[in-house]
Amino acid sequence: MKFILNERSLYGQFESVDEFLESLEANLQCFRLVRSQKSGEIRKIADFYKCQVTKDQKLGDLKQYPRSDKLTRLKIALDKEMTTEPYWDLSPAHDYGTAYWMGKEDLAATAVAEAVERKESLLSFDSEIYSDRRLLVEWNGNTYGVFSIYRPSYLVECLGEQMGLERDECLKARYAGTRLDCSLLEKEYGAEYLEREEYHLLLGTLDKFVKHESWESIGLDDGLEYKKYTPSSGERDWFCNSIYHDRTIMKFRFSARMRCFGYRKGERFRLIRIERDHKKSDKG
């Protein structure tokens, strides 16, 4: 799936380079998810380094910024995106002489207009205008919607299935930065084996789980039935021969039969297995 890197989302909105660097974790994760596809492609303008990061500094000025691990990682990722083809502005698909209105602004000759013409989505930087929303652009008397994506959670929510991303990868991205950590979900017991309806039930429950105000409110939620997994014997313990045998395993439900299993570490719940048939949950 092809995307366009949105130069309009860098217009000097950051107070400092440090603030900009802190915001980039989400961008790098989106780049990685796009590049994980065989057909993943990110177009950009040829002189993206001229984009304004702060009022006084452009992307190209970051070479003079004091080096750090984060800056090094950023430079590697951005260099790959900005110094290699394809550059859409060398052979634009849209007509620069036609107006592409977003509100009162004509965005002809920008990534937004190009995305409308190509029917592609934008990858944007953290911005009040462009972060995680569907832009409405008027062109030729019609209104077109364009996804403008900043966070990986929004990317997988809107386009995960179209991109052909594995469900476990989508879960990891969707809940990054929340109280739910899906990075340890075991493939054998992951979301890939759920029916479509079951998967959407899972998403609805996990969304509810992360929106709770506290662990206390989670424990009081009768719908979740969040409680300790307590098998009657070692033979019945689903985790006795796993690396989690000494963990306090908790479980909660996302349907009458299906359960999620994992454990708390600090303020995060690490999801490790999904059960479809309630057989393990029946024994603990």
Side-chain angles (χ1 to χ4, degrees):
M1 195 169 184
K2 296 176 174 59
F3 292 80
I4 299 176
L5 194 56
N6 182 13
E7 79 281 351
R8 296 287 297 185
S9 63
L10 280 180
Y11 47 87
Q13 71 267 36
F14 294 96
E15 292 295 323
S16 67
V17 171
D18 282 339
E19 182 186 346
F20 172 61
L21 293 178
E22 287 297 326
S23 76
L24 282 169
E25 193 62 44
N27 297 108
L28 299 185
Q29 289 182 47
C30 286
F31 295 164
R32 180 182 61 80
L33 287 170
V34 172
R35 293 298 184 190
S36 71
Q37 310 169 89
K38 288 183 179 179
S39 59
E41 184 177 275
I42 302 174
R43 309 175 199 268
K44 77 291 293 181
I45 58 174
D47 57 355
F48 209 102
Y49 273 105
K50 294 181 181 178
C51 292
Q52 208 74 30
V53 174
T54 69
K55 290 180 180 179
D56 304 315
Q57 293 171 298
K58 298 180 180 180
L59 273 177
D61 299 330
L62 297 187
K63 302 181 216 183
Q64 284 76 46
Y65 196 75
R67 295 183 65 85
S68 67
D69 289 343
K70 183 171 284 189
L71 180 57
T72 300
R73 184 159 56 91
L74 157 69
K75 278 186 58 59
I76 291 172
L78 285 190
D79 283 347
K80 182 175 181 180
E81 299 307 334
M82 297 178 197
T83 61
T84 58
E85 295 183 355
Y87 298 119
W88 68 259
D89 58 333
L90 299 184
S91 182
H94 79 278
D95 181 1
Y96 281 21
T98 304
Y100 291 78
W101 294 101
M102 192 172 80
K104 296 181 180 180
E105 186 177 14
D106 179 8
L107 294 177
T110 72
V112 178
E114 190 71 5
V116 170
E117 180 64 36
R118 291 182 181 271
K119 298 181 176 60
E120 296 175 357
S121 297
L122 297 167
L123 294 178
S124 297
F125 293 88
D126 192 10
S127 155
E128 185 178 346
I129 303 171
Y130 292 103
S131 287
D132 298 337
R133 61 186 58 196
R134 190 167 178 264
L135 308 178
L136 297 180
V137 183
E138 293 183 20
W139 171 55
N140 269 355
N142 296 307
T143 300
Y144 297 84
V146 176
F147 287 122
S148 179
I149 296 160
Y150 166 57
R151 294 177 181 83
S153 56
Y154 191 68
L155 174 63
V156 300
E157 178 185 342
C158 297
L159 300 170
E161 289 189 19
Q162 290 176 245
M163 292 171 68
L165 297 174
E166 290 189 359
R167 287 174 175 175
D168 292 356
E169 189 71 22
C170 288
L171 291 179
K172 185 165 65 174
R174 185 183 181 104
Y175 299 108
T178 71
R179 66 158 51 92
L180 186 63
D181 178 1
C182 299
S183 62
L184 300 179
L185 186 57
E186 297 177 356
K187 190 174 182 64
E188 183 180 356
Y189 306 107
E192 210 60 41
Y193 300 99
L194 299 176
E195 299 293 338
R196 184 181 179 84
E197 182 180 346
E198 294 172 342
Y199 180 60
H200 285 287
L201 284 173
L202 173 68
L203 292 180
T205 299
L206 297 184
D207 286 349
K208 177 183 179 183
F209 188 88
V210 300
K211 289 176 183 175
H212 263 284
E213 294 181 0
S214 66
W215 291 102
E216 289 73 19
S217 64
I218 288 174
L220 293 172
D221 189 324
D222 292 335
L224 288 174
E225 286 192 0
Y226 177 75
K227 59 186 177 182
K228 184 179 178 181
Y229 171 57
T230 54
S232 58
S233 67
E235 291 180 356
R236 293 175 177 267
D237 186 349
W238 198 17
F239 300 91
C240 65
N241 294 317
S242 76
I243 59 174
Y244 307 111
H245 65 91
D246 58 348
R247 295 282 184 179
T248 299
I249 303 295
M250 306 294 291
K251 63 178 183 176
F252 60 90
R253 68 180 183 178
F254 64 98
S255 82
R257 293 183 300 109
M258 294 176 282
R259 298 292 185 269
C260 293
F261 290 79
Y263 65 92
R264 269 188 68 177
K265 184 171 183 180
E267 290 303 307
R268 304 196 74 192
F269 184 87
R270 294 191 165 181
L271 180 64
I272 51 180
R273 290 182 185 178
I274 295 169
E275 181 193 26
R276 292 184 68 194
D277 56 17
H278 203 265
K279 290 181 180 178
K280 303 298 181 183
S281 190
D282 269 343
K283 299 172 183 177

